[in-house]
Structures are given as structure tokens and as C-alpha cells.
Amino acid sequence: MRKVVSGLFVSLDGAVQSPDQWQFEFDEEMGAALARTLETADTILLGGVTFTEWAGYWPTVTSGEDAGFATWINESPKYVVSSTLDSVDDWANSTLIKGDLTTAVNELKAGEGKDITVAGSPTLVRSLLELDLLDELVLLIHPVVAGEGRRKLFTDDTPMKRLQLVSAQPTSSGVIIATYRPAR
């Protein structure tokens, strides 16, 4: 069965919004961790906000250092979880999931292929974790306090959920790549 894996940049104070404003370095170890995602996943889950932001950008990238990722994400099947979007036709290989999230994700997990990665989408990550649909949570924890005004990975009313640490790797820039699995 396929796994659902999420990888997120997060600050020490839990911010996940706008990492481009507080992520000061991107080192080789972080690049290797993200490259492993491209090697082990072939399907992407996105929330509506991330889809809307990314659909206007990634299809336009055809050269430069981001071209490899752009090709991968543009060619991969994308499943968008949204209660507000009516269509995802503006980005190739995208399918809108409406209805029961548990049923849709379990069908994807039972299908053929590599892992399913959740791109960005912290609200979706919280829902997947709460519904026991997330198999791994990889946090790239940056040694910075991002400050107020940014959305956090977990809100104050998030129900308690125990996780088990699978691995933790410090990087040359001081980021910790921590992989967790829900305690089941």
C-alpha cells in the first residue's frame, strides 16, 4: 500500500506560511531530502490555497534551477482537496477531490504507484493527521522564530495526536530534518 507523506518547512515557533520570508539558507542536506521525495513519490495531494498559488507559477517554469522540480510536479498527477474550488482544469494532470476525504485518500493509497506526497497545504496536513491518513510527517525545522502574523502548522484547537520520531538529522545550516510517524 502506498504511503501519504508530508514535508514542510517550519520555524521554531511553528510557522509554515511564507517560508521564503524566514528561510535563510537552503543547504545540500535539505536538497537531498527533497530529492528523495521526488524519487519516492509520484502523486501529489494539494489543498486549495496551495493549488491556487502554485498553478499560476509552476507551469511557467521551463528553465533555471527549479526546472527539474517544475517538470516533475507539472507531469505528476495532482489531487486537490478543496471545498471552495469548482475546477482545477487550469493545471494539467489535476483532479478535484470533493466529498469524503477519507474515501478518496484510501482509494489513492490502495492504487498502484509510489508514495503520495502532500505539497505545502498545512490545513490539509492537519486534516490528514486528524483522520489518521498521514503516514509520515517530515519537518524541516529552521533555527528561526518567524514571529506573529504567519499561519502555524497546528492551531490552538488541534486535537492531541501522538507521533513517534523515526529519524532526526541536523544539517550544515542548523536545520533539523525530523521524520515522524503517527503512533498507532
Side-chain angles (χ1 to χ4, degrees):
M1 180 172 277
R2 302 164 82 187
K3 294 187 307 186
V4 175
V5 179
S6 172
L8 292 169
F9 299 115
V10 63
S11 67
L12 288 176
D13 58 338
V16 289
Q17 183 182 11
S18 305
D20 58 306
Q21 297 173 6
W22 48 261
Q23 178 184 11
F24 300 108
E25 289 196 49
F26 190 86
D27 57 44
E28 285 184 34
E29 300 94 335
M30 292 165 54
L34 296 179
R36 278 191 298 278
T37 298
L38 303 187
E39 294 167 6
T40 59
D42 64 2
T43 304
I44 304 153
L45 274 174
L46 297 156
V49 172
T50 301
F51 173 83
T52 301
E53 291 172 357
W54 289 17
Y57 176 72
W58 287 112
T60 68
V61 177
T62 58
S63 62
E65 66 183 43
D66 290 337
F69 179 77
T71 298
W72 179 82
I73 197 165
N74 289 326
E75 293 177 358
S76 295
K78 292 168 283 297
Y79 291 87
V80 183
V81 178
S82 175
S83 60
T84 58
L85 293 176
D86 294 321
S87 171
V88 294
D89 295 339
D90 51 340
W91 194 2
N93 303 312
S94 298
T95 302
L96 182 61
I97 294 176
K98 286 219 174 208
D100 185 58
L101 179 60
T102 300
T103 300
V105 171
N106 281 331
E107 286 175 2
L108 287 173
K109 288 173 81 167
E112 295 292 320
K114 297 179 180 180
D115 289 345
I116 302 159
T117 186
V118 184
S121 310
T123 302
L124 176 58
V125 170
R126 284 192 302 270
S127 295
L128 293 169
L129 192 59
E130 186 176 320
L131 294 169
D132 206 26
L133 296 170
L134 189 68
D135 298 297
E136 280 187 2
L137 177 61
V138 180
L139 298 178
L140 288 84
I141 306 164
H142 290 258
V144 63
V145 175
E148 20 180 298
R150 292 182 177 86
R151 276 183 263 135
K152 309 290 188 211
L153 176 53
F154 298 108
T155 59
D156 289 343
D157 62 348
T158 300
M160 188 175 99
K161 183 77 166 182
R162 287 191 43 84
L163 303 172
Q164 296 175 327
L165 180 66
V166 175
S167 67
Q169 171 196 1
T171 72
S172 56
S173 67
V175 169
I176 296 174
I177 303 172
T179 302
Y180 297 94
R181 288 191 186 124
R184 295 184 172 141

